């Protein structure tokens, strides 16, 4: 097992990192509790070759010109690791030292995480963007559901269904229509990518299934395919956040405000690209509390999206 660096070694490194400009070698050696020759040897080990320090003679004394920023190393982290580091620091609300405050500010505000989040916002709906025709179809289906109209739809395989539309939502990785068959009144799922056209029908009949039965049907499909998980989020600035993503079924939603004004949001959801896209639109306003495997899959998804434009 590797041991942590000794406290005196860390202290010496911190002394150098805060130096800027010329200082007598003897004075620097005294601050670092080393001899002059040991100090020169230490400087050569710490600073990159040819940068950061200049040693010269002045009035029979040895001087050292130090540029402390030369040992401000860049961390070779992947986008997923930067996002994870950002989330770890965002959880810590204490500022018990200037160094800790500076670190948090660099990571959460000025560091690569800012660039990453901006890229992710620009990439919103990269893979999921609906065609103009599909957008019109979704809007018209939502209207038919609101108006409780019956519709007749035809698939690309020329199959025709007469149904009562119930919900348009992301299910099993596809934007789909949950509908009640007009003949036997059973519920069925039709992926919108399979729909070629549809039209509203005039009828005096009414749907028979209840909202509870629709929710139970969706939950059963998710349970059968092991697609459902209980997602718990902490949402900052909930008043300016879309808490209900379009066309997603939220099972048993629950929202509680903590003393800090953050919203604890929980619901049974289906992990899918569209849900990840919604989380991306929240940016730094959201923190995934649970489950851990969902957070890991989300970070992997973010990293893959960034790779597409690398």
């Amino acid at each position: 097992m590797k041991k942590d660096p000794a406290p005196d070694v860390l202290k010496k490194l911190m002394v150098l990192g805060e130096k800027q400009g010329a200082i007598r070698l003897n004075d620097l050696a005294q601050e670092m509790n080393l001899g002059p020759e040991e100090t020169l040897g230490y400087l050569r080990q710490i600073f990159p070759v040819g940068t950061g320090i200049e040693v010269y003679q002045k009035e029979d004394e040895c001087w050292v010109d130090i540029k402390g920023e030369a040992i401000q190393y860049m961390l070779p982290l992947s986008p997923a690791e930067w996002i994870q580091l950002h989330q770890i620091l965002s959880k810590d609300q204490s500022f018990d030292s200037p160094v800790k405050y500076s670190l948090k500010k660099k990571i959460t505000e000025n560091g690569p995480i800012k660039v990453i989040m901006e890229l992710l916002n620009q990439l919103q709906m990269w893979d999921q963007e609906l065609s103009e025709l599909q957008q019109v179809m979704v809007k018209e289906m939502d209207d038919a559901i609101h108006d409780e109209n019956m519709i007749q739809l035809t698939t690309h395989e020329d199959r025709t269904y007469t149904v009562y539309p119930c919900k348009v939502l992301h299910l099993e990785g596809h934007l789909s229509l949950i509908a009640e068959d007009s003949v036997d009144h059973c519920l069925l799922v039709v992926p919108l990518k399979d729909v070629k056209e549809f039209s509203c029908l005039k009828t005096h009949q009414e749907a028979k299934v209840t909202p509870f039965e629709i929710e139970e049907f969706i939950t059963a499909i998710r349970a059968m395919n092991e697609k459902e998980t209980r997602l718990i989020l902490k949402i900052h600035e909930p008043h300016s956040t879309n808490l209900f993503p379009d066309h997603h079924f939220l099972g048993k939603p629950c929202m509680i405000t903590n003393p800090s004004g953050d919203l604890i949001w929980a619901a049974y959801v289906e992990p899918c690209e569209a849900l990840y896209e919604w989380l991306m639109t929240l940016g730094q306003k959201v923190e995934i509390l649970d489950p851990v495997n969902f957070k890991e899959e989300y970070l992997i998804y973010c990293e893959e999206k960034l790779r597409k434009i690398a």
Side-chain angles (χ1 to χ4, degrees), residues 21-28 40 43 53-66:
I23 184 173
R24 291 192 311 170
L25 176 60
N26 287 337
D27 292 340
L28 179 62
L40 286 175
L43 292 174
I53 59 169
E54 181 185 354
V55 181
Y56 58 93
Q57 289 291 127
K58 178 182 176 184
E59 298 177 355
D60 296 327
E61 286 189 299
C62 186
W63 286 71
V64 182
D65 197 348
I66 300 175

Side-chain angles (χ1 to χ4, degrees), residues 228-251:
E228 192 169 69
T229 188
R230 185 70 172 174
L231 179 62
I232 303 176
L233 307 173
K234 180 192 285 186
I235 299 178
H236 314 291
E237 302 177 31
H239 58 280
S240 61
T241 303
N242 172 24
L243 301 176
F244 301 98
D246 295 334
H247 303 118
H248 285 271
F249 174 69
L250 306 179

Side-chain angles (χ1 to χ4, degrees), residues 77-295:
L77 301 181
S78 68
E81 289 169 332
W82 275 115
I83 293 172
Q84 186 69 62
L85 181 58
H86 167 262
Q87 291 185 338
I88 291 171
L89 288 172
S90 295
K91 290 179 183 177
D92 192 346
Q93 300 300 317
S94 63
F95 305 107
D96 51 11
S97 74
V99 174
K100 189 173 182 181
Y101 177 80
S102 175
L103 173 63
K104 182 171 182 177
K105 188 175 180 66
K106 286 180 179 178
I107 295 297
T108 59
E109 296 181 15
N110 304 321
I113 186 65
K114 184 177 181 181
V115 177
I116 289 170
M117 296 311 295
E118 287 175 355
L119 281 172
L120 292 178
N121 287 333
Q122 291 171 13
L123 288 170
Q124 181 186 356
M125 302 304 286
W126 176 286
D127 296 318
Q128 292 255 307
E129 195 160 330
L130 299 175
S131 68
E132 188 174 342
L133 181 62
Q134 288 173 318
Q135 290 178 32
V136 171
M137 182 185 295
V138 171
K139 173 66 168 61
E140 290 179 350
M141 281 191 176
D142 284 340
D143 290 342
I145 293 168
H146 179 268
D147 297 336
E148 299 182 351
N149 290 331
M150 181 188 289
I151 65 171
Q152 186 175 75
L153 61 85
T154 304
T155 68
H156 291 292
E157 297 178 347
D158 291 324
R159 293 180 180 176
T160 300
Y161 299 89
T162 302
V163 299
Y164 298 98
C166 303
K167 275 184 180 293
V168 175
L169 79 163
H170 293 277
L171 193 62
E172 298 184 293
H174 300 287
L175 194 58
S176 304
L177 171 68
I178 306 295
E180 175 189 338
D181 188 276
S182 63
V183 178
D184 60 16
H185 297 283
C186 68
L187 287 168
L188 52 93
V189 181
V190 183
L192 292 191
K193 64 182 180 62
D194 296 341
V195 178
K196 181 167 67 175
E197 58 184 8
F198 82 95
S199 58
C200 291
L201 301 176
K202 292 183 179 180
T203 178
H204 297 295
Q205 299 178 25
E206 294 181 354
K208 292 187 177 181
V209 296
T210 64
F212 176 77
E213 290 172 322
I214 295 169
E215 291 192 9
E216 288 292 297
F217 176 72
I218 296 169
T219 301
I221 291 176
R222 286 180 172 176
M224 184 171 57
N225 295 292
E226 298 182 346
K227 294 285 187 180
E228 192 169 69
T229 188
R230 185 70 172 174
L231 179 62
I232 303 176
L233 307 173
K234 180 192 285 186
I235 299 178
H236 314 291
E237 302 177 31
H239 58 280
S240 61
T241 303
N242 172 24
L243 301 176
F244 301 98
D246 295 334
H247 303 118
H248 285 271
F249 174 69
L250 306 179
K252 298 181 180 178
C254 174
M255 285 175 277
I256 302 170
T257 303
N258 67 14
S260 302
D262 300 320
L263 182 74
I264 306 302
W265 180 105
Y268 285 102
V269 299
E270 177 183 322
C272 63
E273 291 188 11
L275 188 67
Y276 298 153
E277 296 287 349
W278 170 64
L279 288 172
M280 274 193 238
T281 65
L282 303 185
Q284 298 184 38
K285 294 180 182 178
V286 67
E287 179 184 339
I288 300 171
L289 300 181
D290 199 62
V292 173
N293 63 331
F294 179 94
K295 181 190 290 190

